[in-house]
Amino acid sequence: MIGRSGNPTLKESTFERAGTFSGMNAMTIEGTVNKAFITLIILLGSAFSTWMLYFDGYNVVPMAIGGALVGLILALIVSFAPKAAPFLVPVYAVAEGMFLGAISAQFEQKIVPGITLNAILLTMGVFFALLIAYKTRLIKATENFKLGVVAATGGIALVYLINFILGFFGMQVPFLHESSWIGIGISVVIVIIAALNLVLDFDFIENGAAQGAPKYMEWYGAFGLMVTLVWLYLEILRLLAKLAASRD
């Protein structure tokens, strides 16, 4: 039985439904890493293009909204139909890159210069640190660990949903978007939970390869990893923005 993942795109039953394969038709960790790298390059290329358009004076708000909506739709399709991952994940990367590029450019201009680069470096640093910790078994994805991360991730998702609904009435969850020390503390906790989801993703992909999931699941595994990285990057960006605001 493959362990659960806090990432909603990497569900416990996904690999089981896909069946078992061997040889050239089977999923591998190396293949998944390659697919993740390709997806990341596409996402960064799209984000950089949108970033340049923003600083050239173009209105990239429609691109941000369109990218977010298309990315959400594609994420739902891929989650329910993993066989479509090889075709839809590159398109998802383009759409998500448009959204991230627009959001990052606005943070860069309106908050503090250099915040985007710092967020990228911190995201990559957290990723590699947790990868090393996982490979050396300093952090183990035990069942209790998984249950804790899944529960915490679900709690965060619920808070964001409540905040979204309250927004229609001109309200928001207290402290969630504030630059007070409580608000900063909340962001730190969310960043930690987002980061710990990477451990669950590593474990999920490793188990999928060990059980001989089909080749197309490499794209699906890469997709799930990108979802977590995007979330982690956005939360780090928000945390840095709060820290910058607290110093004003």
Side-chain angles (χ1 to χ4, degrees), residues 11-119:
K11 300 181 288 295
E12 184 174 358
S13 60
T14 302
F15 287 122
E16 295 172 358
R17 293 197 309 267
T20 302
F21 293 76
S22 61
M24 297 296 293
N25 296 320
M27 173 185 181
T28 65
I29 294 178
E30 181 180 2
T32 305
V33 170
N34 291 337
K35 304 300 188 301
F37 182 75
I38 293 171
T39 304
L40 181 61
I41 292 299
I42 294 174
L43 188 150
L44 291 176
S46 176
F48 182 72
S49 298
T50 308
W51 169 287
M52 293 301 295
L53 287 174
Y54 178 87
F55 284 105
D56 284 342
Y58 289 89
N59 179 18
V60 297
V61 173
M63 299 178 67
I65 297 175
L69 290 176
V70 172
L72 176 60
I73 293 172
L74 292 178
L76 291 173
I77 294 175
V78 172
S79 295
F80 288 101
K83 288 185 178 181
F87 311 102
L88 297 185
V89 170
V91 183
Y92 164 83
V94 173
E96 201 68 17
M98 292 167 57
F99 169 71
L100 290 180
I103 293 297
S104 299
Q106 292 182 42
F107 269 77
E108 185 77 12
Q109 185 181 62
K110 298 178 180 180
I111 304 301
V112 58
I115 188 173
T116 302
L117 178 59
N118 287 334

Side-chain angles (χ1 to χ4, degrees), residues 112-197:
V112 58
I115 188 173
T116 302
L117 178 59
N118 287 334
I120 292 173
L121 293 176
L122 284 171
T123 301
M124 291 297 98
V126 170
F127 172 81
F128 286 112
L130 285 176
L131 179 60
I132 292 172
Y134 175 76
K135 296 301 291 184
T136 58
R137 301 309 183 203
L138 291 176
I139 296 180
K140 296 181 180 179
T142 64
E143 286 303 312
N144 288 335
F145 178 88
K146 295 172 187 177
L147 285 171
V149 175
V150 169
T153 303
I156 292 170
L158 180 60
V159 170
Y160 278 150
L161 177 60
I162 293 173
N163 188 71
F164 177 75
I165 295 173
L166 289 177
F168 290 106
F169 303 96
M171 299 181 291
Q172 64 180 19
V173 174
F175 306 112
L176 186 61
H177 299 297
E178 296 180 8
S179 57
S180 64
W181 285 111
I182 296 179
I184 292 172
I186 291 173
S187 282
V188 169
V189 171
I190 295 176
V191 166
I192 292 173
I193 299 303
L196 292 179
N197 269 273

Side-chain angles (χ1 to χ4, degrees), residues 198-211:
L198 288 172
V199 177
L200 271 62
D201 294 342
F202 298 151
D203 180 71
F204 195 84
I205 293 170
E206 184 177 63
N207 287 335
Q211 294 194 20

